[in-house]
Each structure stands twice: as structure tokens, then as C-alpha cells.
């Protein structure tokens, strides 16, 4: 995986590498920022289950499709999303199933799911989702490759 950085200045610019770089984390944080700030993102709160402080931002930009969950409540959100009519998109790790993913987002955390365009031609998708919440936070020892993921690194 490559990561390009460029800068323009009338003064000399130098870059210095500090330790090992977690490119996946950098990518996730960039997409999180895009999701919240992009006016084209479709924002949803979970008021239907009395949780207005849980939000999902969904959108697509630059060959990426993203689902960013921000849980500022005390409850845990569980959601299953099925991608219908998905063409030319691949889900990113730690997920493996391109057609469906499950998230479990405890209170005071966030999480993101990213799909990437496979070929330069266009992509299409539809979304069907179901969700629930629980009043208590819990932790499980589930293998993240089994498609349950929370992203607490900011």
C-alpha cells in the first residue's frame, strides 16, 4: 500500500518519517472526516429507537463508499447492512463479505466500513439495513475478521 504526500511552497520542504505508519488508520481517519464534512453524505440518526445521539453517515466519493458510525450515547448499536445490486466494489479489511457486513458500535465509540472501487469504470450499489440497540455496553472476544468492528483509534 502506498501513501503519497506532496507540498508546494516557495521555501524548501522536507519530509521526515517517524516510526511505522499505519496507512489503514490514516485512510480511515481521512474518510471519517470526509463523511462528516461532505454535504453529499446521507446522515441518519437512530431516533426511531430513541437514540438521537447515534449517527450514521453514508456516501460515496473518489471511488469509495463509506458507512461511518458515530455513537455518542450510552447504548450499543448493532446493524446489519446488505449491499444490493453491488457492482465493481470491494469491502476493505477487516471485513471479508462484499455483500453484507455487521457492526457493533458501543457507546462513546465510532466505526467505519469502507468499500473501494475495483476497476476505473463506474460502480453501483443499493443498501438494505436493519438495526437494534442495547442499553448496556459489552465487549466480546469476537474475531474482527468475522465482520464485527469498532474503531476506537482516533
Amino acid at each position: 500500500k502506498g501513501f503519497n504526500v506532496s507540498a508546494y511552497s516557495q521555501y524548501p520542504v522536507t519530509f521526515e518519517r517517524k516510526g511505522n505508519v499505519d496507512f489503514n488508520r490514516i485512510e480511515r481517519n481521512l474518510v471519517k472526516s470526509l463523511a462528516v464534512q461532505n454535504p453529499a453524505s446521507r446522515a441518519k440518526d437512530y431516533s426511531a429507537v430513541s437514540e438521537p445521539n447515534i449517527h450514521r453517515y453514508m456516501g460515496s466519493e473518489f471511488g469509495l463508499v463509506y458507512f461511518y458510525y458515530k455513537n455518542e450515547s450510552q447504548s450499543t448499536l448493532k446493524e446489519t447492512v446488505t449491499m444490493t445490486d453491488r457492482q465493481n466494489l470491494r469491502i476493505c479489511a477487516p471485513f471479508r463479505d462484499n455483500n453484507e457486513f455487521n457492526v457493533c458500535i458501543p457507546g462513546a465509540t465510532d466505526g467505519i466500513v469502507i468499500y473501494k472501487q475495483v476497476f476505473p469504470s463506474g460502480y453501483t450499489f443499493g443498501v438494505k439495513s436493519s438495526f437494534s440497540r442495547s442499553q448496556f455496553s459489552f465487549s466480546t472476544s469476537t474475531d474482527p475478521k468475522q465482520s464485527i468492528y469498532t474503531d476506537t483509534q482516533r
Side-chain angles (χ1 to χ4, degrees), residues 44-52 54-56 69 75-82 101-105 127-134:
K44 170 185 178 178
D45 70 28
Y46 291 82
S47 296
V49 290
S50 301
E51 289 296 347
I54 303 175
H55 301 275
R56 180 183 76 187
Y69 298 86
S75 299
T76 297
L77 172 73
K78 294 179 183 179
E79 184 166 69
T80 299
V81 175
T82 303
F101 64 86
N102 298 296
V103 291
C104 179
I105 312 293
V127 175
K128 182 173 73 169
S129 64
S130 62
F131 60 90
S132 65
R133 66 152 173 118
S134 57

Side-chain angles (χ1 to χ4, degrees), residues 59-78:
S60 61
E61 198 77 47
F62 310 114
L64 301 173
V65 174
Y66 54 84
F67 298 82
Y68 173 47
Y69 298 86
K70 188 171 185 179
N71 186 349
E72 297 175 320
S73 77
Q74 299 294 319
S75 299
T76 297
L77 172 73
K78 294 179 183 179

Side-chain angles (χ1 to χ4, degrees), residues 1-4 17 21-28 64 90 92-93 114 116:
K1 192 170 213 182
F3 188 72
N4 296 316
R17 183 175 179 156
V21 178
D22 183 348
F23 291 114
N24 289 327
R25 184 172 160 202
I26 291 169
E27 179 180 61
R28 286 192 315 266
L64 301 173
R90 174 184 45 84
C92 295
I114 301 173
K116 290 185 179 176

Side-chain angles (χ1 to χ4, degrees), residues 27-57:
E27 179 180 61
R28 286 192 315 266
N29 286 334
L30 288 170
V31 176
K32 286 179 192 180
S33 180
L34 169 71
V36 173
Q37 295 176 17
N38 186 356
S41 288
R42 288 187 271 169
K44 170 185 178 178
D45 70 28
Y46 291 82
S47 296
V49 290
S50 301
E51 289 296 347
N53 293 322
I54 303 175
H55 301 275
R56 180 183 76 187
Y57 300 89

